[in-house]
Amino acid sequence: MEFEDILYEVRNGAAWITINRPDKMNSFRGQTCDEIIKALNKAGYDRDVGVIVLAGAGDRAFCTGGDQSAHNGNYDGRGTIGLPMEELHTAIRDVPKPVIARVQGYAIGGGNVLCTICDLTICSDKAQFGQVGPKMGSVDPGYGTAFLARVVGEKKAREIWYLNRRYSGAEAVAMGLANICVPHDQLDAEVQKWAEEICERSPTALAIAKRSFNADTAHQAGIAGLGMYALKLFYDTEESREGVNALKEKRKPEFRKFAK
């Protein structure tokens, strides 16, 4: 299976799926999402794989969400908003193996949502977590909001979305968004250590455990599906486009000028 936007490698039972767009801060376009979905399915049903690691190339970013250069009221791929986000999020949740997010830098926007959905998150002391949607005329009205509230608590989730602040790896651990924060040069070793420990466990027991965890929040897939259609309508407004335009013009957006 050939990939362009990602790297795929199996290391001692752990399938590493690495977003390989460091020049774009590992932001994803439509093709990136499709390739991650294919890689998740490949790893998920490979008997030689016991755990999946989702990572980002380089030192700067794990993932910074949708590629704004491919966004002009709609992204460049398929799906409700031009990105198959519902499918990508579902693939992470439904693949019958634990998925570890390996965060070495920025996990912002859609990248932060990926960390939220992954079963486990291991980060370095250089990691930065946060949301930017309302600063850009966007939002993730599904797992990025409702499920985030389950992970970090209602008040903290609202803070993350309303204020769009940045949070360190240690802060992510404290709020429950990450499991452990380690020195940057120890990150890969720690991730592989956790991965190999998981590989020693019963794969069927792990699959049942994961699906039982997911059952409690399965209704949020419906919220996400509905929310993406609302987001598509929002992307067609001048208010939303103001975020992208302001970024391109390197100025502060004036959303209220277009709000109705």
Side-chain angles (χ1 to χ4, degrees):
M1 190 175 292
E2 296 295 325
F3 297 115
E4 181 181 344
D5 284 11
I6 69 170
L7 302 173
Y8 184 90
E9 178 187 7
V10 177
R11 306 178 189 174
N12 198 22
W16 284 63
I17 300 171
T18 304
I19 303 172
N20 190 30
R21 305 185 80 218
D23 58 319
K24 297 286 188 179
M25 299 287 281
N26 294 322
S27 60
F28 45 72
R29 55 180 177 169
Q31 179 176 334
T32 318
C33 295
D34 282 332
E35 290 186 7
I36 296 172
I37 292 168
K38 289 178 182 177
L40 285 165
N41 288 328
K42 175 182 173 68
Y45 298 96
D46 182 343
R47 291 182 176 274
D48 293 328
V49 170
V51 64
I52 300 166
V53 176
L54 184 60
D59 277 341
R60 296 185 65 198
F62 162 71
C63 176
T64 55
D67 183 354
Q68 294 303 306
S69 67
H71 176 42
N72 185 20
N74 203 52
Y75 287 97
D76 66 332
R78 60 189 178 84
T80 308
I81 61 169
L83 292 173
M85 297 313 303
E86 301 100 307
E87 285 185 49
L88 175 55
H89 294 165
T90 298
I92 293 172
R93 282 173 60 87
D94 285 358
V95 67
K97 293 168 185 177
V99 182
I100 301 173
R102 173 237 186 227
V103 182
Q104 84 288 22
Y106 293 113
I108 305 295
N112 194 74
V113 178
L114 295 180
C115 291
T116 303
I117 298 172
C118 285
D119 297 278
L120 303 166
T121 297
I122 300 175
C123 66
S124 91
D125 53 12
K126 292 186 179 180
Q128 290 285 313
F129 297 81
Q131 275 301 336
V132 294
K135 292 174 70 174
M136 291 298 303
S138 183
V139 66
D140 187 312
Y143 288 116
T145 49
F147 189 62
L148 179 66
R150 285 291 189 100
V151 173
V152 304
E154 188 82 17
K155 295 291 186 180
K156 198 66 179 181
R158 290 174 187 258
E159 174 192 315
I160 290 169
W161 274 101
Y162 296 170
L163 277 68
N164 305 143
R165 292 174 174 171
R166 301 284 176 85
Y167 303 88
S168 68
E171 289 173 315
V173 172
M175 73 174 79
L177 184 57
N179 296 86
I180 187 172
C181 178
V182 299
H184 189 71
D185 61 357
Q186 297 177 24
L187 179 60
D188 282 353
E190 189 69 22
V191 170
Q192 191 65 28
K193 175 184 174 183
W194 283 51
E196 291 178 6
E197 194 169 338
I198 289 171
C199 285
E200 295 175 353
R201 305 297 178 254
S202 162
T204 302
L206 291 175
I208 294 171
K210 178 166 181 172
R211 293 191 186 284
S212 64
F213 282 127
N214 289 349
D216 184 51
T217 52
H219 65 283
Q220 292 185 355
I223 298 173
L226 177 64
M228 286 298 169
Y229 274 96
L231 186 60
K232 172 63 172 74
L233 295 175
F234 179 44
Y235 279 165
D236 287 336
T237 67
E238 291 298 323
E239 181 183 347
S240 176
R241 291 193 182 100
E242 170 65 4
V244 177
N245 292 336
L247 178 66
K248 291 178 179 177
E249 296 166 13
K250 299 181 180 180
R251 61 175 174 80
K252 189 174 182 179
E254 299 179 63
F255 292 117
R256 294 192 178 277
K257 183 168 66 175
F258 301 100
K260 295 180 180 180

